[in-house]
Amino acid sequence: TYVVLKVQNLKSTTIDGWGSEPCWEQDFMFEICADEKGFIIELWKKGLFWDSILGVLWIPLATVEHATDEGPGSWWTLHSEVIKNGSEIQGTKTPTSHKILLDVYFALPF
């Protein structure tokens, strides 16, 4: 399995994780515009011919805290559907059985 993070026109992918409880422990840092509404996290399962999505999560930037250091993170439930208004993502719905532990924060300057 692997995770894809999408914000604005940027996309980052983790290395492949193995087993029933994969752990990536990867940091991603993005400089984004203040008017951005949120970002998408996708969990994918590698396949022999094609990959399949296990779940998706929309995190609104308005809910993200500011911090100077990493924290313990929070468990987030992944969903199977993306809610859109035209081309703009507004959220996700229909929870799956998959959860992901994320530590999401705005990094404050030192």
Side-chain angles (χ1 to χ4, degrees), residues 20-71:
S20 62
E21 294 183 14
C23 182
W24 297 279
E25 294 191 31
Q26 282 185 246
D27 294 333
F28 295 99
M29 187 176 290
F30 298 96
E31 288 188 30
I32 57 174
C33 296
D35 63 346
E36 186 63 25
K37 301 215 183 330
F39 61 98
I40 284 280
I41 304 276
E42 298 173 343
L43 179 64
W44 289 83
K45 179 180 178 184
K46 275 237 184 253
L48 186 59
F49 296 108
W50 56 82
D51 299 348
S52 56
I53 193 160
L54 297 175
V56 63
L57 174 66
W58 169 255
I59 299 179
L61 291 180
T63 65
V64 176
E65 302 283 331
H66 289 80
T68 55
D69 204 5
E70 295 178 10

